Amino acid sequence: GAVVSQHPSWVICKSGTSVKIECRSLDFQATTMFWYRQFPKQSLMLMATSNEGSKATYEQGVEKDKFLINHASLTLSTLTVTSAHPEDSSFYICSAGLGGGAADTQYFGPGTRLTVL
Amino acid sequence: ELKVEQNPLFLSMQEGKNYTIYCNYSTTSDRLYWYRQDPGKSLESLFVLLSNGAVKQEGRLMASLDTKARLSTLHITAAVHDLSATYFCAVDRGSGGSNYKLTFGKGTLLTVNP
C-alpha cells in the first residue's frame, strides 16, 4: 500500500528557533501534498496545499511567512515553522493523494509532534 | 463554507453492542472519507465513499453515504475492545471531481468496555 513518512516524529525546540519537518511519499509520486495541524483532542485543520514545482496554497488564517512550504520533488515536501513560539506546539500531519478519478484517496504520514519551549 | 458535524463526539459502549456514528455536511460533495486515529498516532484510512447510496463494509464496521441528505453513517456491529479509537469523517470540498482538500469533523472518541 501507499506509504507516507514524516521526519522527525517529534521535536522540541526553543522559542524563536525554526524547525523543518519533512514529508515523503515512499512508494509513489505525489504532485500534491497537504499539511494539517491537530491540537490535542481536536480535529485536523488543513493548513496548506503543497504543489510540486510551484508555490503552496495556504488556507485562510494561516501565515505563509511563518509556515514555509517547499515541494522540491514529486516525493518530498517540507514544512518549516519559522520563529516558533509555544502556541505553535501541535501535531503536524502531512498527506498525499494517490490515484485519480473514482479511486483516489489520501494517505497520511505518521505525524510530527512539535513542542516549543 | 463547508461544515462537517459528527455526533456523538463521545461514545462509550459495551462489547458486543451495536451503534452508529453520524456525519452531516453542509454543502454538496462527491467524496466522503472515514478515518481512524489511535492515541498519538496518525490517521488510518477506513473507507472512501464516492456516490449516493454507497455502502462499504470491513469487518465490524460499515459505512454508508446519502448525498441527498448530506449524511454518512459509520455503523459498528458487535463492538470489541480493539475498536476503541477516535473516528473522523472528512468531506472533500470539491464537486464534480476531487480536489483533495478535506474538511474534517470533530471526531468521535469511541471507548469499548468489556
Side-chain angles (χ1 to χ4, degrees):
Chain A
V3 178
V4 176
S5 71
Q6 277 183 247
H7 178 80
S9 54
W10 59 270
V11 57
I12 300 173
C13 69
K14 292 182 179 180
S15 186
T17 60
S18 295
V19 174
K20 180 185 283 188
I21 303 170
E22 292 186 350
C23 175
R24 293 181 186 272
S25 56
L26 297 185
D27 49 3
F28 66 101
Q29 293 183 332
T31 54
T32 306
M33 293 183 174
F34 302 86
W35 288 96
Y36 295 84
R37 66 187 298 181
Q38 184 181 32
F39 291 109
K41 298 185 180 181
Q42 293 191 28
S43 190
L44 278 75
M45 299 295 293
L46 179 65
M47 298 174 65
T49 304
S50 171
N51 301 295
E52 187 268 338
S54 65
K55 292 183 179 180
T57 304
Y58 291 82
E59 294 298 300
Q60 192 172 10
V62 177
E63 298 177 60
K64 59 182 179 182
D65 294 332
K66 180 167 187 63
F67 299 99
L68 300 179
I69 292 172
N70 184 14
H71 198 143
S73 73
L74 289 172
T75 60
L76 173 64
S77 175
T78 59
L79 168 68
T80 301
V81 183
T82 62
S83 186
H85 288 94
E87 57 265 31
D88 298 323
S89 299
S90 186
F91 194 45
Y92 292 87
I93 304 174
C94 71
S95 72
L98 176 63
D104 57 11
T105 190
Q106 278 193 45
Y107 291 89
F108 287 80
T112 297
R113 188 161 303 282
L114 170 63
T115 301
V116 185
L117 302 177
Chain B
E1 179 188 350
L2 173 61
K3 294 186 187 300
V4 180
E5 292 188 0
Q6 272 182 253
N7 70 83
L9 298 182
F10 300 93
L11 176 55
S12 180
M13 55 191 299
Q14 284 186 308
E15 282 190 328
K17 299 293 187 182
N18 305 331
Y19 210 83
T20 300
I21 300 171
Y22 297 88
C23 176
N24 289 91
Y25 54 100
S26 61
T27 63
T28 302
S29 174
D30 292 338
R31 287 166 173 78
L32 188 140
Y33 302 82
W34 284 97
Y35 293 95
R36 168 183 171 143
Q37 186 179 38
D38 291 296
K41 305 290 185 181
S42 190
L43 276 71
E44 173 190 352
S45 177
L46 296 175
F47 302 106
V48 53
L49 302 169
L50 300 174
S51 61
N52 188 40
V55 176
K56 290 193 175 181
Q57 183 165 4
E58 181 72 33
R60 301 174 187 273
L61 301 177
M62 182 173 71
S64 66
L65 178 62
D66 181 343
T67 57
K68 293 180 181 178
R70 296 176 187 164
L71 170 67
S72 179
T73 61
L74 180 66
H75 187 72
I76 302 155
T77 302
V80 292
H81 180 69
D82 287 350
L83 290 179
S84 297
T86 299
Y87 292 84
F88 290 97
C89 66
V91 179
D92 192 308
R93 298 180 199 173
S95 180
S98 173
N99 70 357
Y100 288 129
K101 293 189 176 183
L102 301 182
T103 298
F104 281 79
K106 290 186 176 181
T108 297
L109 176 59
L110 171 65
T111 304
V112 181
N113 303 303

